[in-house]
Amino acid sequence: MSITAQTVWNNCLKFIKDNIQPQAYKTWFEPITAVKLTDNALSIQVPSKFFYEWLEEHYVKLLKVSLTKELGEKAKLVYVIKMENTYGNKQPFTEKIPSSNRSAVKSQEVDIPLNNKNPELRNPFVIPGIRNVKIESQLNPNYSFENFLEGDSNRLARSAGLAVASKPGGTSFNPLLIFGGVGLGKTHLAHAIGVDIKDKYPEKTVLYISAEKFTQQYIDSVKKNNRNDFIHFYQIIDVLIIDDVQFLSGKTGTQDVFFHIFNHLHQNGKQVILTSDKAPVDMQDIEQRLLSRFKWGLSAELQTPDFETRVSILKNKLYRDGVEMPEEIIDYVAKNIKTNVRELEGAIISLIAQSSFNKKEITIDLARVIVEKFVKNTKREVSIDYIQKVVSDYFQMDVDTLQSKTRKRHIVQARQLAMFFAKKFTKASLASIGSQIGKRDHATVLHACKTVDNLTSTDKQFRKYVEDITKKLSV
Ligand code: ADP
Ligand code: MG
């Protein structure tokens, strides 16, 4: 890479950074690399076609201003799209595509080889008139975009969803794969896209289905010997939304049939929307050819919402339910439930219920009790006391014996195991573990952890202890 391209781009970045949100900068500008500078044209490499489109749509002015400052009025910007090189596609494949002519920042004109080799493949199975058969969309109208609050954690997925909804099948986000942990809004967002499409294009056939139900239908169709009807049914859908595709793991028959349906829909410009609890890279037992299809479009992650977003989700929920609640309580709940929007809502719902059933006022104390219940039920924090109890029970001694100063081998081992598990399962420091387990110092704890590690790898009986206790602590 030439020094000058780098310097020019660095200067642009400085300017851009001062003019946009840090999160946006991180998402859209940090992944870019400057590759070349010839005359007035700076080439930058972006990770995907989607990226390029997003930059063009949202940041072209900013890019233009910054680049003009560096290279003068004749400045040009050239995008180089680097396709992600995964799934056995060993050859790095780059393509250049033209920046749109509407901007003064122009790029080279190069043809774009896209995936639409068969743009007008007609469905040979469509029975005349079948389009009039009404297919129930199975959408939940409460899961709308309006109710899906925006935050840094979901901005990309939400915007991509909106883009898909305004032009189903007509963007490069096909399929759109929404992935993320439990309770972060995948199902909600998937419905929202469908609801919005139905709203804008009432004539389009939209279908929402969980991968589980899809699998069940497929199995039934095989049993009843009408596999073809099953396939034809799915092939006439305009917008297919399949929720929780990780469920297809290991189900080769269903994957196979889905692969064919997917290809058919995709070739005909139909939109496919998928959700999954994992990124495609982390999906197990899903065929490569299917995974590589998932990568054709966009994979957008839903992350855990930050504090502000959690507060706005709660406020929106309360507003919709017509309930008022002191700020202080909302803050308390949002501060303490961090990793799952479903639990966040659950806590606020029980808070409302508790107060109205028992005619209690909603106080911080009540909030504390309820939040604790929620947090405890989902992720029971293992305490050092609890660990000592489990370990002493296992060796049939009492906690006092475990903590005593004795040097008897089996007691020393139990104590060392308690220290080892305290280190493993809590966030406590070595010093704090030592002081709680028989008032020892941090060096003793460190020594205990090393001893347990050593014994685990050399002593079969000891390894069994570790395994047994681990199981007891993990239930
Ligand atoms: P997932 O499918 O990822 O497990 P869901 O879509 O079922 O999660 O979401 C769980 C709950 O959280 C739903 O009630 C949903 O309405 C709510 N929720 C999630 N994200 C948001 C958001 N950004 N704004 C408002 N509600 C949300
Ligand atoms: Mg879900």
Side-chain angles (χ1 to χ4, degrees):
M1 188 201 301
S2 93
I3 301 288
T4 29
Q6 186 70 68
T7 349
V8 168
W9 182 237
N10 283 346
N11 289 340
C12 290
L13 283 180
K14 265 185 223 141
F15 177 79
I16 292 167
K17 199 172 187 173
D18 285 340
N19 283 285
I20 61 173
Q21 295 289 325
Q23 182 64 34
Y25 179 81
K26 216 172 135 206
T27 309
W28 301 109
F29 291 93
E30 277 184 3
I32 298 176
T33 44
V35 282
K36 202 169 71 179
L37 181 70
T38 35
D39 300 329
N40 304 313
L42 175 70
S43 304
I44 57 170
Q45 181 173 296
V46 298
S48 67
K49 181 157 175 285
F50 170 66
F51 221 91
Y52 147 78
E53 288 178 351
W54 188 277
L55 289 171
E56 276 288 283
E57 200 174 318
H58 295 87
Y59 300 114
V60 74
K61 279 209 192 99
L62 192 59
L63 281 164
K64 188 189 165 192
V65 174
S66 66
L67 201 59
T68 314
K69 264 166 52 106
E70 294 304 309
L71 299 175
E73 283 302 319
K74 290 200 180 120
K76 278 188 189 178
L77 185 65
V78 180
Y79 294 96
V80 179
I81 299 184
K82 184 167 188 307
M83 303 299 275
E84 277 154 61
N85 179 26
T86 38
Y87 304 116
N89 178 9
K90 286 282 176 285
Q91 225 136 50
F93 160 54
T94 52
E95 58 174 350
K96 290 190 187 128
I97 57 169
S99 157
S100 72
N101 293 333
R102 66 190 147 89
S103 70
V105 188
K106 288 230 182 86
S107 71
Q108 272 162 254
E109 294 277 330
V110 185
D111 275 347
I112 324 159
L114 281 181
N115 285 323
N116 47 354
K117 277 169 215 129
N118 301 319
E120 271 308 307
L121 202 74
R122 285 264 155 250
N123 180 353
F125 304 110
V126 173
I127 307 149
I130 201 160
R131 291 229 145 242
N132 300 329
V133 177
K134 199 138 168 40
I135 292 175
E136 270 301 323
S137 290
Q138 316 291 339
L139 291 166
N140 178 348
N142 293 324
Y143 282 161
S144 62
F145 272 116
E146 214 188 355
N147 288 334
F148 192 78
L149 288 248
E150 182 172 347
D152 282 351
S153 57
N154 61 37
R155 188 161 290 120
L156 170 63
R158 193 176 186 279
S159 315
L162 279 165
V164 163
S166 56
K167 261 169 88 183
T171 67
S172 57
F173 324 144
N174 198 12
L176 174 61
L177 173 71
I178 302 160
F179 70 94
V182 191
L184 292 181
K186 301 180 295 294
T187 299
H188 185 144
L189 184 54
H191 275 276
I193 300 169
V195 169
D196 201 25
I197 292 175
K198 260 323 227 188
D199 203 36
K200 292 192 170 104
Y201 306 91
E203 77 288 354
K204 282 203 193 290
T205 315
V206 179
L207 182 71
Y208 166 90
I209 188 159
S210 66
E212 188 174 358
K213 206 162 162 199
F214 179 86
T215 305
Q216 198 51 52
Q217 284 181 357
Y218 171 68
I219 294 170
D220 286 350
S221 80
V222 173
K223 267 191 212 141
K224 292 191 191 125
N225 219 353
N226 54 10
R227 185 175 178 271
N228 279 346
D229 292 345
F230 171 85
I231 296 174
H232 300 165
F233 172 80
Y234 278 95
Q235 284 179 340
I236 61 163
I237 281 161
D238 296 315
V239 178
L240 178 61
I241 306 169
I242 302 202
D243 203 359
D244 290 321
V245 287
Q246 77 277 355
F247 185 83
L248 301 182
S249 291
K251 307 196 168 56
T252 41
T254 318
Q255 284 182 37
D256 190 55
V257 78
F258 176 60
F259 180 76
H260 290 292
I261 293 169
F262 176 88
N263 283 339
H264 183 92
L265 294 176
H266 197 269
Q267 281 169 349
N268 286 282
K270 305 300 170 62
Q271 180 70 46
V272 178
I273 297 152
L274 308 166
T275 79
S276 164
D277 67 355
K278 295 178 197 64
V281 233
D282 300 322
M283 286 186 205
Q284 307 251 310
D285 294 319
I286 300 258
E287 283 183 57
Q288 280 306 318
R289 55 177 189 166
L290 206 50
L291 285 179
S292 80
R293 291 298 186 275
F294 294 172
K295 295 283 281 186
W296 277 359
L298 172 73
S299 306
E301 184 173 8
L302 289 178
Q303 290 161 336
T304 51
D306 56 21
F307 177 71
E308 279 76 34
T309 315
R310 298 201 296 275
V311 169
S312 34
I313 290 174
L314 287 179
K315 286 191 174 159
N316 179 260
K317 170 94 193 127
L318 290 166
Y319 174 77
R320 276 188 290 141
D321 293 354
V323 178
E324 286 191 15
M325 198 170 289
E327 286 284 323
E328 170 189 39
I329 310 262
I330 300 175
D331 273 21
Y332 182 82
V333 175
K335 239 178 227 137
N336 287 283
I337 302 187
K338 299 178 194 157
T339 53
N340 184 323
V341 182
R342 189 176 296 136
E343 281 169 16
L344 197 62
E345 289 188 332
I348 217 81
I349 292 167
S350 23
L351 207 50
I352 298 170
Q354 279 287 330
S355 81
S356 62
F357 288 150
N358 305 330
K359 302 253 179 304
K360 267 193 221 159
E361 208 190 320
I362 302 181
T363 60
I364 270 283
D365 282 337
L366 183 58
R368 199 167 287 136
V369 172
I370 285 175
V371 164
E372 229 159 64
K373 244 188 236 153
F374 262 85
V375 176
K376 243 195 224 130
N377 279 342
T378 49
K379 209 177 12 144
R380 190 162 43 97
E381 171 73 24
V382 189
S383 68
I384 295 181
D385 281 347
Y386 182 68
I387 291 170
Q388 297 189 75
K389 174 98 177 61
V390 168
V391 173
S392 13
D393 281 356
Y394 182 77
F395 291 110
Q396 290 163 359
M397 57 178 78
D398 48 42
V399 177
D400 286 342
T401 314
L402 181 134
Q403 293 186 342
S404 68
K405 302 276 174 218
T406 172
R407 303 218 143 259
K408 278 188 193 142
R409 192 162 163 266
H410 75 284
I411 298 173
V412 173
Q413 274 192 353
R415 191 159 56 229
Q416 290 179 327
L417 278 164
M419 290 174 174
F420 167 83
F421 282 111
K423 183 73 199 126
K424 189 167 166 187
F425 285 126
T426 73
K427 291 197 178 69
S429 66
L430 293 172
S432 143
I433 293 171
S435 79
Q436 292 181 66
I437 304 182
K439 301 209 166 47
R440 305 305 206 278
D441 63 13
H442 87 279
T444 310
V445 181
L446 191 61
H447 176 70
C449 294
K450 282 190 187 145
T451 309
V452 172
D453 271 330
N454 284 339
L455 286 174
T456 314
S457 52
T458 52
D459 182 341
K460 226 168 145 191
Q461 178 59 51
F462 195 82
R463 181 156 60 232
K464 174 116 177 37
Y465 295 160
V466 173
E467 284 166 0
D468 287 349
I469 298 169
T470 304
K471 263 189 219 135
K472 285 185 194 298
L473 287 171
S474 325
V475 259

